[in-house]
Amino acid sequence: MDEEHFLERAKQFAHRLAELQNRLDPDSYDLLLRILRGINDAIVHRRDGGSDGGGSVDVAFSPRDQDRFTPALGRELEELTSLLGPHGLRLVVDFGAEQERDRMEVEAIARVSGMDPGRW
């Protein structure tokens, strides 16, 4: 990526982030910034020769954060990260333990309702 292209993308990133600060509620905007800091850490770690090679980073999400991380916020994050490199970045959102907790809760509800969760 040449310098002019880089500067244009950086301006677009800054402009988009400023728009989001005005449009999002403060908690959602703070979550977005935490995720972006995590992405920055992953980029720096990979550039510095981090051992994982993939530049991955985990951003801790509370249950409230998970509620705030809507598909719309995910799309905004995707748009922002597409401006960070010549080919953009690939984001993977994994709620891991949260998914397991949800599965167990659904199974408990099924059992209370008289259904056998082992049959599905």
Side-chain angles (χ1 to χ4, degrees):
M1 176 182 334
D2 65 15
E3 186 175 341
E4 184 178 321
H5 190 229
F6 173 79
L7 292 174
E8 178 58 32
R9 288 171 75 122
K11 280 195 264 185
Q12 290 174 6
F13 181 89
H15 179 72
R16 186 74 184 143
L17 197 56
E19 284 178 356
L20 290 170
Q21 184 176 18
N22 291 326
R23 195 162 40 94
L24 295 174
D25 66 89
D27 289 335
S28 294
Y29 184 72
D30 287 345
L31 174 60
L32 182 68
L33 291 181
R34 275 196 0 243
I35 295 168
L36 289 172
R37 277 193 288 281
I39 291 169
N40 183 66
D41 290 347
I43 292 169
V44 169
H45 182 68
R46 183 172 59 188
R47 193 177 304 141
D48 291 343
S51 62
D52 66 2
S56 64
V57 66
D58 291 329
V59 177
F61 270 35
S62 71
R64 286 187 50 141
D65 291 336
Q66 291 176 25
D67 289 341
R68 282 189 201 100
F69 194 83
T70 63
L73 187 63
R75 285 189 298 275
E76 297 292 356
L77 184 60
E78 257 186 286
E79 186 175 324
L80 285 169
T81 57
S82 72
L83 297 169
L84 295 177
H87 304 292
L89 297 172
R90 181 172 178 264
L91 294 178
V92 176
V93 178
D94 178 13
F95 293 115
E98 180 67 19
Q99 290 175 339
E100 178 62 19
R101 186 181 64 93
D102 289 346
R103 183 190 62 74
M104 290 171 45
E105 187 173 334
V106 168
E107 287 180 359
I109 292 169
R111 276 193 286 284
V112 168
S113 300
M115 299 169 62
D116 178 7
R119 293 183 50 186
W120 20 286

